[in-house]
């Protein structure tokens, strides 16, 4: 199983980015997906979750600005980020599994993240 987050980059405050997460090697349609981020010097934190049925939840810090979605047929999840702030700067990761694991962020392995840098 491979997880590959992509779509990060440098953006000015107020801008937008759309991250993608491709899952290969296993169908993830029956699993929840989580988006996480880790800023320099900080612990990894949960940003958003999306269940197999498409129900979403967000951290308070991104609520109203970020939108999680998924395309089960393509084994791909997305995180649309609008109104970006400098404090959103971090490496963003995705992972998937049972909802409990997604919420706690406890996984055996992580794929490569994608760096999002928001300039002021």
């Amino acid at each position: 199983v491979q997880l590959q987050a992509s779509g990060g980059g440098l953006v000015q405050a107020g801008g937008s980015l759309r991250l993608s997460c491709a899952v290969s090697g296993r169908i993830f349609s029956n699993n929840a997906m989580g988006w996480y981020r880790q800023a320099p010097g900080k612990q990894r934190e949960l940003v958003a979750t999306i269940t197999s049925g498409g129900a979403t939840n967000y951290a308070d810090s991104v609520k109203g600005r970020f939108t999680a979605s998924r395309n089960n047929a393509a084994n791909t999840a997305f995180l649309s980020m609008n109104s970006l702030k400098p404090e959103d700067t971090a490496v963003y990761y995705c992972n998937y599994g049972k909802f409990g694991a997604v919420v706690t962020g406890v996984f055996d392995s992580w794929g490569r993240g994608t760096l999002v840098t928001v300039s002021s």
Side-chain angles (χ1 to χ4, degrees), residues 50-76:
I50 180 167
T51 67
S52 58
T56 55
N57 275 290
Y58 303 94
D60 288 343
S61 59
V62 307
K63 202 169 291 184
R65 300 187 297 121
F66 289 14
T67 302
S69 59
R70 62 193 292 164
N71 182 337
N72 288 338
N75 277 14
T76 306

Side-chain angles (χ1 to χ4, degrees), residues 34-55:
W35 285 96
Y36 310 81
R37 67 186 181 188
Q38 186 167 19
K42 295 187 177 181
Q43 289 189 328
R44 183 151 42 201
E45 63 173 349
L46 177 64
V47 173
T49 63
I50 180 167
T51 67
S52 58

Side-chain angles (χ1 to χ4, degrees), residues 1-119:
V1 177
Q2 290 186 330
L3 289 162
Q4 179 66 56
S6 62
L10 173 64
V11 64
Q12 288 188 330
S16 300
L17 283 173
R18 189 189 194 208
L19 306 184
S20 298
C21 177
V23 180
S24 62
R26 182 174 296 177
I27 297 174
F28 81 152
S29 60
N30 293 328
N31 291 291
M33 172 66 73
W35 285 96
Y36 310 81
R37 67 186 181 188
Q38 186 167 19
K42 295 187 177 181
Q43 289 189 328
R44 183 151 42 201
E45 63 173 349
L46 177 64
V47 173
T49 63
I50 180 167
T51 67
S52 58
T56 55
N57 275 290
Y58 303 94
D60 288 343
S61 59
V62 307
K63 202 169 291 184
R65 300 187 297 121
F66 289 14
T67 302
S69 59
R70 62 193 292 164
N71 182 337
N72 288 338
N75 277 14
T76 306
F78 305 95
L79 185 68
S80 296
M81 307 185 296
N82 298 314
S83 302
L84 283 162
K85 304 175 180 180
E87 51 263 44
D88 294 320
T89 295
V91 177
Y92 284 71
Y93 300 87
C94 56
N95 219 322
Y96 79 101
K98 295 189 182 299
F99 188 71
V102 168
V103 170
T104 60
V106 177
F107 297 100
D108 292 335
S109 63
W110 291 82
R112 190 171 65 182
T114 186
L115 176 62
V116 172
T117 303
V118 184
S119 63

